Amino acid sequence: KMRDLFSNVKIVTLWDPIDLGTGNTPKVSEIIDTRDFNSCVIHVAYGSIADTDATFTVLLEDGDDSGLTDNAAVADAYLNGTELGATPLFSNDNTGFKLGYVGPKRYVRLTLTPAANTGAILTSAIAILGDPKLAPQTTQAV
């Protein structure tokens, strides 16, 4: 059988490549709709992290409301990996981290919050939805 991952995933852009700049303003992702998919992995990529003592917090929230007005932090039992394991150090230039969601809620979003940040933070994030209820997923645009 052919190894065809292409037809079995959908990619969702959570935030385009961006320089978060200085300061400690949280970066909140687009809301991920997991309907019709049985798995979800979030990938956050980091380019240059200019500050030498910045710290970060990664938070994944879920809910059943499309605007996430019912948002709650995802319980650890519904994560593959940990939020701490997906959190960069100031020395993690040019790296990426993944975090899996296996919870029962339909909607998910990611928040990245810097602290003690006085330099640039280059980052982007995507969600990879897999195990579709209807395959193949042939759309190439994300």
Side-chain angles (χ1 to χ4, degrees):
K1 183 175 178 175
M2 290 181 48
R3 298 180 205 173
D4 180 13
L5 183 60
F6 175 90
S7 298
N8 292 293
V9 297
K10 176 181 177 183
I11 308 296
V12 178
T13 301
L14 299 183
W15 63 72
D16 292 327
I18 188 171
D19 177 355
L20 296 181
T22 60
N24 302 315
T25 303
K27 179 61 179 169
V28 181
S29 79
E30 298 292 326
I31 295 172
I32 306 160
D33 184 353
T34 65
R35 187 185 78 183
D36 295 332
F37 292 88
N38 294 309
S39 59
C40 176
V41 171
I42 294 167
H43 178 263
V44 184
Y46 298 93
S48 173
I49 301 174
D51 193 290
T52 59
D53 66 351
T55 59
F56 303 88
T57 302
V58 169
L59 172 66
L60 196 63
E61 298 171 296
D62 63 0
D64 287 320
D65 178 78
S66 64
L68 278 180
T69 58
D70 61 341
N71 65 303
V74 173
D76 290 346
Y78 296 133
L79 296 176
N80 290 129
T82 64
E83 290 159 318
L84 183 60
T87 301
L89 300 173
F90 61 84
S91 58
N92 286 137
D93 293 318
N94 305 310
T95 58
F97 296 90
K98 64 181 179 179
L99 182 63
Y101 176 74
V102 296
K105 304 291 184 175
R106 178 171 169 180
Y107 299 97
V108 182
R109 81 172 157 218
L110 176 75
T111 301
L112 173 67
T113 304
N117 175 44
T118 60
I121 303 169
L122 304 178
T123 181
S124 66
I126 61 168
I128 305 161
L129 300 171
D131 303 313
K133 293 177 183 172
L134 179 61
Q137 295 288 313
T138 57
T139 303
Q140 286 185 268
V142 294

